[in-house]
Amino acid sequence: MGERGALRVRLDRLVREAAKFGAVGAVGLLVNLVVFNLVRHGTDVPVVRAGILATVVAIVFNYIGFRYFTYRERDKTRRTKELSLFLLFSVVGLVIENGVLYAATYGFGWDTPLQSNVFKFLGIGVATLFRFWSYRSWVFRSVPLPAEAGESFLERGRDRDRIQS
């Protein structure tokens, strides 16, 4: 396969991965916002604590969706390490997401239900970019396909032959 074909295959995989990530994320977003609004308006829990609780519920939901849908074909041999990294990057995402909500609420005094939802949503968006990068790069590591491994081996052999000539 030529460089152009290989690039096309990689781009197609990335698009499919992003679509699956987006599908799980969209449902996770819904879970996050529903839990946030139920806690925010059904209890006396302060806004940022409600946001953190909603994020934790969404993290649990998202791990299940990512592991068994988005990244089901990825390396499954190191589940403890995977889960540890997932939780680490999820906590960073939680801080990003709820940091935006905190700044809006306590920094600027924007605390109406609409403002809280807008800044919760904005925080989720910023944190999602970080999570997509970190999950695909560090948590759900890809295992090379046999064809890719063979192609790399052959390409390395050709490169070695050219250098020796």
Side-chain angles (χ1 to χ4, degrees):
M1 178 182 317
E3 283 184 41
R4 202 171 199 160
L7 180 62
R8 176 84 173 149
V9 168
R10 289 181 68 194
L11 186 59
D12 286 346
R13 283 188 197 145
L14 181 62
V15 167
R16 279 193 304 270
E17 178 184 340
K20 287 180 177 181
F21 186 92
V24 171
V27 177
L29 169 70
L30 184 64
V31 167
N32 197 329
L33 291 175
V34 166
V35 171
F36 174 68
N37 281 292
L38 286 174
V39 172
R40 174 85 165 109
H41 302 296
T43 69
D44 292 332
V45 173
V47 66
V48 175
R49 286 189 190 148
I52 291 170
L53 180 63
T55 303
V56 169
V57 171
I59 286 170
V60 171
F61 173 84
N62 286 345
Y63 179 76
I64 294 167
F66 292 143
R67 168 45 45 217
Y68 297 105
F69 177 66
T70 305
Y71 298 113
R72 70 176 172 260
E73 73 282 350
R74 298 282 178 107
D75 185 11
K76 296 175 187 154
T77 59
R78 298 175 301 206
R79 284 286 172 93
T80 303
K81 182 178 179 182
E82 172 187 288
L83 187 55
S84 299
L85 287 171
F86 181 84
L87 291 173
L88 171 72
F89 291 120
S90 293
V91 167
V92 172
L94 179 145
V95 169
I96 293 168
E97 176 181 325
N98 291 289
V100 170
L101 182 62
Y102 181 89
T105 303
Y106 299 109
F108 296 102
W110 297 328
D111 195 23
T112 68
L114 178 61
Q115 290 168 332
S116 294
N117 277 287
V118 166
F119 287 102
K120 178 71 172 163
F121 186 79
L122 180 65
I124 290 170
V126 174
T128 296
L129 295 174
F130 169 77
R131 288 178 178 128
F132 180 70
W133 168 80
S134 64
Y135 293 167
R136 78 179 311 270
S137 299
W138 299 100
V139 179
F140 300 105
R141 304 290 305 249
S142 63
V143 177
L145 298 172
E148 288 176 343
E151 187 175 318
S152 298
F153 177 76
L154 292 174
E155 287 173 355
R156 283 193 303 260
R158 279 185 250 145
D159 291 340
R160 188 180 58 236
D161 291 344
R162 276 187 240 149
I163 292 170
Q164 291 175 352
S165 298

